[in-house]
Amino acid sequence: MPVASAMCRQYNADASTFSGGTRLRFEPLTLTRKVTHPSKDLGSDVVVPVAVISLADMTGRRDNLLLGNVPAAWVECYFPAVDMRRAERRECDGVTDCTRILADYGREFSPGEIGCALSHHLVYRQFLDSPHDLALVLEDDSLPCNNGIEQVAQLGASLLAAARDGKSFVCNIGLPELYTQDHIVRAVDLQSFAAEQVRLFEHVDPRFSLWRANAYLISRRAARNIVNREKRVSVLADDWSRRRAVGSVKHLLFPAKPFFFQDQTLGSTIEEGRSESHQTLAIPANSNPSIGERISHALLHRSRIAVARLKRLASLRLLL
């Protein structure tokens, strides 16, 4: 699978070089293919793994990513989400901390919410199994704004030093601009994060929650803290404020303007719903597969539709 070096047509590869000569290369991170190039062995080039989380049967959403100029290699090598849409309650209870969830949220998580959290956790575990310090995580309803790919490369280059220094942070690059209100944010100390290329803010007011996990950069320390503290699912995938409160993530950052936006024309896959396509490969409604079997099903689904996807991608590229 080719390396995705910010491959959309509008992207200028030279624009990824910034102060200090740092140039980012984005490589897909999946369950079956690890990003193996050590950052320090690439000279001025630094690899940042990128995971596009998507349910195996959501081919329409991935086609939409291609039409929205998300690099083709990122989409072709997507990270298969854990499908919990038809999971029974007893299976959900087996992977969640029910007591903690009820204490913190006052309700049970839906199967879709659990699947979403498990999917992000799988990304973190795979990221931690690589030698890298920073990762880009996208959900399949996130599309880049104008120059969004270039901007995230620029921001990532600026944040690399902080990630390598062991800072625990998440930088959400898909937040609406309402989060820049003065009473919930402050400008980031540029000396701390070396983010001289962009206007960067930190969410600091504990009275206000910070949500959304559709597009973000995460440091290695933050991913490790989350995995170590959340042995079972106990926090929603996008509940960053709760993770800050318990110390998993110290800094919640975001640029003044988003680099990605959430496509509101697409429905949510959090709740149980109809698959968009390939109904014959969907998990049978009367079955009760384990989480491992659900992951294996996602990988099998990918292998069966590989040829069809290549033909479809060829057609889409002609349109682009």
Side-chain angles (χ1 to χ4, degrees):
M1 191 66 66
V3 172
S5 305
M7 291 163 49
C8 63
R9 292 172 181 264
Q10 293 83 354
Y11 186 68
N12 178 0
D14 294 335
S16 61
T17 301
F18 304 103
S19 60
T22 300
R23 184 172 61 197
L24 298 190
R25 284 201 297 150
F26 292 103
E27 282 197 34
L29 178 73
T30 75
L31 284 173
T32 56
R33 178 180 182 277
K34 297 180 181 179
V35 178
T36 56
H37 305 296
S39 302
K40 296 180 181 178
D41 292 343
L42 290 173
S44 61
D45 284 4
V46 176
V47 168
V48 171
V50 54
V52 176
I53 302 174
S54 182
L55 287 162
D57 58 353
M58 291 297 168
T59 56
R61 296 169 79 96
R62 293 192 292 277
D63 289 345
N64 191 57
L65 293 177
L66 293 170
L67 292 171
N69 286 327
V70 174
W74 300 9
V75 180
E76 293 168 4
C77 209
Y78 72 92
F79 197 98
V82 179
D83 190 352
M84 297 287 286
R85 288 171 293 180
R86 297 186 180 93
E88 296 181 1
R89 176 49 56 183
R90 62 186 177 85
E91 183 181 0
C92 294
D93 292 344
V95 296
T96 58
D97 185 338
C98 302
T99 302
R100 173 54 57 191
I101 290 172
L102 289 174
D104 290 344
Y105 295 89
R107 64 173 180 86
E108 296 178 331
F109 287 174
S110 71
E113 289 173 327
I114 295 169
C116 182
L118 286 171
S119 300
H120 284 260
H121 272 244
L122 280 175
V123 169
Y124 303 155
R125 291 180 184 278
Q126 194 75 348
F127 169 36
L128 293 172
D129 201 26
S130 79
H132 305 293
D133 302 295
L134 190 68
L136 172 62
V137 183
L138 302 172
E139 294 182 341
D140 62 6
D141 59 352
S142 292
L143 297 174
C145 304
N146 291 335
N147 300 318
I149 304 291
E150 178 179 344
Q151 288 175 314
V152 73
Q154 179 178 338
L155 177 59
S158 297
L159 293 175
L160 268 174
R164 287 174 171 171
D165 287 344
K167 282 187 169 63
S168 174
F169 66 85
V170 166
C171 185
N172 199 312
I173 56 174
L175 288 176
E177 292 184 50
L178 63 90
Y179 281 99
T180 60
Q181 298 175 51
D182 293 339
H183 67 292
I184 61 173
V185 302
R186 68 182 176 201
V188 168
D189 178 358
L190 299 184
Q191 293 182 348
S192 296
F193 285 92
E196 70 279 356
Q197 303 292 336
V198 296
R199 291 180 62 211
L200 197 64
F201 292 92
E202 180 173 5
H203 184 283
V204 295
D205 194 331
R207 298 172 301 171
F208 293 85
S209 296
L210 182 65
W211 301 93
R212 300 237 182 155
N214 59 305
Y216 59 94
L217 290 160
I218 185 169
S219 70
R220 186 177 189 86
R221 172 63 65 84
R224 184 168 66 244
N225 288 349
I226 292 171
V227 167
N228 288 342
R229 284 189 169 95
E230 300 172 22
K231 300 297 185 183
R232 286 170 168 259
V233 173
S234 59
V235 180
L236 291 171
D238 59 352
D239 194 350
W240 303 115
S241 295
R242 190 172 302 278
R243 292 193 172 109
R244 178 180 56 191
V246 300
S248 297
V249 179
K250 185 175 182 181
H251 302 283
L252 300 178
L253 311 173
F254 55 92
K257 293 185 177 181
F259 300 160
F260 281 74
F261 67 94
Q262 202 165 22
D263 189 343
Q264 299 298 327
T265 65
L266 300 177
S268 172
T269 59
I270 293 285
E271 301 304 326
E272 181 178 354
R274 242 178 124 250
S275 301
E276 291 185 5
S277 57
H278 301 282
Q279 294 291 327
T280 58
L281 292 177
I283 297 174
N286 60 351
S287 67
N288 186 32
S290 67
I291 290 175
E293 289 170 335
R294 291 174 186 275
I295 295 172
S296 297
H297 177 273
L299 297 177
L300 176 61
H301 184 113
R302 287 189 56 188
S303 67
R304 290 186 180 184
I305 64 174
V307 174
R309 176 185 293 131
L310 290 175
K311 292 179 179 178
R312 183 173 59 255
L313 292 177
S315 299
L316 285 170
R317 288 193 184 104
L318 292 176
L319 295 175
L320 296 174

